[in-house]
Amino acid sequence: MPRRLHRFAISLGLCASVLLSGWAAHWVSSQVGLADLQATGQHRLDLYATSLEREIGKFAFLPGTLALEGNAVELLVHPDSRVQQQRVNTYLEQLNTRAGTLAIYLLSREGRVLASSNWRRPDSFVGEDLSFRAYFRDALSAGSGRFFGIGTTRGEPGYYLAASLPGEPGGLGVAVIKVGLDELEKSWSTVETPALVSDENGVIILSAVPDWKFATLRPLDEATRRAFDRTLQYNRRALKPLGMHELRRLDDGARLVRIEPDGPQNASIYPTSGPFLAQSRPLPGTPWTLTVLSHSDQVDDLARSWALIGGVGAICPCLIALMLQERRRRLRDRLAAREALQRAHDELERKVEARTADLSTANQALQDEVAERIRAERTLRDAQDELVQAGKLAVIGQLSTGIAHELNQPLAALRTLSGNSVRFLARGDLGTTRDNLTRIGQLVDRMGAITGQLRDFARKSSGQAQAVSLSQALDNALALLDSRLRHSRATVCRQGEAPPVWCDPNRLEQVLVNLLGNALDAMDGQTAPAIELSLDTHESRARLQVRDHGPGISPEALDQLFKPFFTTKPVGRGLGLGLAISAGIVRDFGAASLTAHNHADGGAVFVLELPFRDPPHD
Ligand code: ADP
């Protein structure tokens, strides 16, 4: 469902639930309020009825008691007796004063007033014909009569209690008491709700609201109005309708009514118009009805308040439900976001793992390659070492002739000296023998030195760098070549000094032997070959320059001198590996170099530069 439609549905539901719960709260509150009002009204109805009955009841016996009064009976028997009339008048006057009634009077069977408590007043009832009064007729016919009416003489409303005085068949006459209900009415003015008493004609005869008095609860038809005119029951009072309309009938005979504001109105402590709960009950012994009116506005107000509370109360759970729903939605969104994040995270982790696996594979490959390179380098180094050794052996091979010649001489001398020594010993010439043996020892030492040098040179070097005296290395190389130098009558000129260098001494000697050997080769056949050796320091390195006085190096050869198998020497004299191996050895020293050029005055110059052990600091 689209969100807007969803919201509309929720709003509609919210409105419906608010209206429904408001209506329900209104209905329940109305019912409860009306029930309360009904109960209270019923209670008041009972209370007011009881007080009214008591008020009226206390006079009910009074008319009948006149039958016990001899003078009254006598007057009824002799209605023309003035004396008797006066006695009864006085008696009734006293009785009326004591009882607190409005009037007490005695009527003949014909309805004429024979005696009355108000005999002194000019408007006394005495002599009046009241046979038209209903209470008179009722008393004659039924023994008693009750009647509410307005007095015709003074226009004073009152309750008439009439009783037939027994005697002749049909009664001697009728005793009447007129009771005023003013006091009762006054006490009603303080009650909480308006109460009224209506007579059998629906005319309000007693009311807590003064202006309602003599208003009618229901419309009077013409015949009734004419009867009123005839009996003067209400003494021609204008009987206006109260303007009360029944709205609804409730249980217990209660009714919801409305009194229109255009009816008789007066300032009152109660509301006298609007909606009322009307509860009525007949007053026993009278044709009257007591009605208590309870204003139901407060019930309506309360119901409206409850409706409001109900509506608001319905909103609260709805709002809470909405909030919970919103919270659930947000939680759902958050969970979805978290899941998406988790998915992204998992994806990332998967990629990282894949990349790591790739990397580790690449790393492994790299390691393998490095290991392979190391292996290859080691192999190469081994090969180089082998090559160096081979080159060295080649040099030794070249030297071997000279060395053999060098050893032959002392060997021959040894043979001669040892032979001579034997002869001198036989002659007993111990002095000469001792000299010969000394000479033999010296020759053996010389031979040992030659073979020792050769042995040292021939041993396979570890290639380990150490501090080496360049002069010492040069001495060793020259010693190895001593035989050749002497054989070729070459002169060696040395000059300068250099600090110790950092390299493998054995391999350095190999390079030097090579350079010196090549120099001798270049000057082969010359009458005065000369080699110039100069030692110095150049650009923080020790420098050795080997110059010969040979033909020098041809421009073509200069480019290829250090390439393997380049040689200009005849077959069997050179392999072309000497300088290539020497260049390799120098390269391994690190920070070292071997270069060649021709001297300006002729001859070749080979320059060897080597790093110091401790490079001098500026
Ligand atoms: P080989 O001595 O076996 O020829 P080298 O590598 O020692 O191998 O020398 C290569 C070549 O360099 C020699 O054949 C020679 O032509 C040239 N050469 C080396 N030293 C000298 C030098 N001092 N004077 C002239 N040429 C030289």
Side-chain angles (χ1 to χ4, degrees):
M1 192 189 285
R3 182 155 285 190
R4 283 184 67 183
L5 200 62
H6 184 245
R7 283 204 178 142
F8 177 72
I10 286 177
S11 306
L12 206 66
L14 191 67
C15 288
S17 64
V18 166
L19 288 175
L20 195 69
S21 61
W23 175 85
H26 187 275
W27 186 82
V28 171
S29 173
S30 292
Q31 295 305 310
V32 172
L34 278 177
D36 271 359
L37 206 63
Q38 242 172 305
T40 312
Q42 193 61 44
H43 176 69
R44 285 177 185 147
L45 196 63
D46 292 343
L47 197 72
Y48 300 163
T50 308
S51 70
L52 199 61
E53 279 167 24
R54 198 171 50 238
E55 192 67 23
I56 296 167
K58 69 184 181 188
F59 299 109
F61 68 95
L62 205 55
T65 56
L66 287 184
L68 303 173
E69 175 54 44
N71 289 326
V73 174
E74 192 61 36
L75 180 64
L76 288 172
V77 175
H78 304 286
D80 299 325
S81 169
R82 290 281 159 201
V83 177
Q84 207 57 32
Q85 185 185 32
Q86 191 52 46
R87 281 185 189 148
V88 175
N89 273 344
T90 310
Y91 172 71
L92 292 179
E93 186 179 30
Q94 288 169 352
L95 187 63
N96 184 51
T97 307
R98 268 196 219 140
T101 49
L102 288 178
I104 303 175
Y105 48 98
L106 201 62
L107 278 80
S108 67
R109 282 178 55 116
E110 292 75 32
R112 192 165 58 83
V113 178
L114 298 178
S116 175
S117 58
N118 56 6
W119 61 276
R120 291 180 197 276
R121 289 169 39 172
D123 54 354
S124 162
F125 298 163
V126 179
E128 268 190 52
D129 180 7
L130 297 177
S131 58
F132 61 89
R133 288 290 203 185
Y135 58 80
F136 170 74
R137 288 202 295 273
D138 289 346
L140 275 188
S141 57
S144 69
R146 295 192 172 188
F147 175 82
F148 177 83
I150 299 171
T152 48
T153 318
R154 299 178 61 189
E156 195 174 42
Y159 183 42
Y160 297 84
L161 297 161
S164 154
L165 299 180
E168 293 178 18
L172 286 171
V174 173
V176 182
I177 296 175
K178 184 179 180 183
V179 180
L181 299 177
D182 290 355
E183 286 306 313
L184 190 65
E185 218 169 39
K186 271 182 204 155
S187 71
W188 276 16
S189 63
T190 58
V191 297
E192 296 98 327
T193 48
L196 56 91
V197 175
S198 55
D199 67 7
E200 65 277 21
N201 303 308
V203 177
I204 297 170
I205 54 172
L206 202 62
S207 170
V209 181
D211 273 13
W212 284 0
K213 215 157 156 185
F214 303 112
T216 58
L217 294 178
R218 52 180 182 268
L220 300 174
D221 56 28
E222 221 18 67
T224 312
R225 284 193 179 278
R226 270 203 301 277
F228 289 165
D229 289 342
R230 197 173 55 249
T231 59
L232 294 177
Q233 184 171 349
Y234 303 106
N235 204 16
R236 293 196 178 87
R237 286 252 185 156
L239 303 174
K240 290 183 183 167
L242 182 64
M244 186 166 83
H245 308 290
E246 185 176 301
L247 301 175
R248 188 150 61 97
R249 228 167 230 289
L250 305 174
D251 304 337
D252 256 7
R255 295 162 298 145
L256 277 177
V257 298
R258 169 172 287 281
I259 298 176
E260 298 304 332
D262 55 350
Q265 293 291 314
N266 199 4
S268 167
I269 56 169
Y270 328 104
T272 53
S273 62
F276 288 93
L277 173 75
Q279 288 167 289
S280 306
R281 60 176 279 182
L283 284 169
T286 70
W288 301 347
T289 304
L290 171 67
T291 302
V292 170
L293 292 168
S294 307
H295 204 258
S296 63
D297 246 3
Q298 51 190 331
V299 175
D300 291 343
D301 288 349
L302 201 65
R304 273 195 290 276
S305 301
W306 275 110
L308 196 68
I309 291 167
V312 172
I315 287 174
C316 289
C318 288
L319 283 179
I320 289 169
L322 275 176
M323 276 165 62
L324 284 176
Q325 195 193 21
E326 183 65 17
R327 190 158 169 266
R328 224 174 9 244
R329 193 180 63 74
R330 284 202 186 149
L331 214 63
R332 213 166 38 233
D333 289 355
R334 207 176 298 166
L335 274 177
R338 193 180 296 170
E339 274 171 16
L341 201 68
Q342 185 64 43
R343 273 200 301 279
H345 178 261
D346 292 348
E347 178 67 15
L348 198 68
E349 218 160 57
R350 199 183 55 70
K351 280 185 180 169
V352 167
E353 271 173 16
R355 199 66 59 82
T356 308
D358 287 353
L359 274 176
S360 68
T361 310
N363 191 31
Q364 188 59 44
L366 199 67
Q367 278 181 4
D368 291 350
E369 199 179 317
V370 168
E372 187 60 34
R373 283 246 176 108
I374 289 170
R375 263 198 306 277
E377 260 178 31
R378 197 169 295 148
T379 309
L380 189 65
R381 175 148 309 275
D382 290 349
Q384 270 182 351
D385 287 351
E386 291 301 321
L387 194 64
V388 168
Q389 192 61 19
K392 196 188 288 178
L393 292 178
V395 170
I396 291 170
Q398 284 176 354
L399 295 174
S400 60
T401 316
I403 292 166
H405 178 71
E406 198 71 11
L407 291 177
N408 271 341
Q409 257 191 333
L411 273 175
L414 277 177
R415 198 161 43 245
T416 308
L417 285 171
S418 62
N420 289 343
S421 297
V422 171
R423 276 194 297 276
F424 284 121
L425 196 64
R427 282 180 209 162
D429 188 352
L430 292 176
T432 308
T433 306
R434 190 183 305 115
D435 290 344
N436 279 357
L437 285 173
T438 308
R439 181 87 175 115
I440 286 169
Q442 287 170 343
L443 285 171
V444 168
D445 284 348
R446 191 179 153 208
M447 287 171 72
I450 292 169
T451 53
Q453 279 175 347
L454 200 60
R455 189 193 61 229
D456 285 350
F457 183 70
R459 73 178 160 83
K460 203 168 181 178
S461 162
S462 66
Q464 202 66 39
Q466 61 185 60
V468 179
S469 162
L470 199 49
S471 297
Q472 181 64 52
L474 212 48
D475 287 346
N476 291 344
L478 287 170
L480 277 170
L481 291 167
D482 186 55
S483 148
R484 279 197 68 190
L485 287 167
R486 275 190 284 112
H487 183 73
S488 61
R489 292 190 178 82
T491 56
V492 176
C493 176
R494 287 174 65 164
Q495 62 166 16
E497 282 296 326
V501 292
W502 189 252
C503 62
D504 176 6
N506 184 264
R507 292 193 174 182
L508 176 61
E509 279 175 28
Q510 188 175 344
V511 173
L512 296 178
V513 166
N514 226 318
L515 294 178
L516 292 169
N518 276 348
L520 287 173
D521 284 347
M523 295 182 295
D524 193 25
Q526 287 185 0
T527 48
I531 297 172
E532 290 165 19
L533 301 172
S534 72
L535 284 169
D536 64 351
T537 300
H538 179 250
E539 292 181 352
S540 306
R541 289 192 293 184
R543 183 169 63 176
L544 167 67
Q545 297 191 71
V546 180
R547 185 205 165 179
D548 60 52
H549 286 267
I553 308 160
S554 66
E556 303 81 40
L558 263 178
D559 292 339
Q560 305 182 66
L561 275 184
F562 299 101
K563 288 183 181 167
F565 306 110
F566 174 75
T567 181
T568 57
K569 292 172 189 170
V571 180
R573 288 285 307 272
L575 279 173
L577 284 173
L579 285 178
I581 291 170
S582 296
I585 290 171
V586 170
R587 202 167 37 246
D588 279 355
F589 287 166
S593 64
L594 177 63
T595 55
H597 63 271
N598 286 318
H599 197 276
D601 298 330
V605 181
F606 282 82
V607 182
L608 176 63
E609 292 188 342
L610 297 164
F612 294 126
R613 185 188 175 189
D614 292 312
H617 299 287
D618 294 334

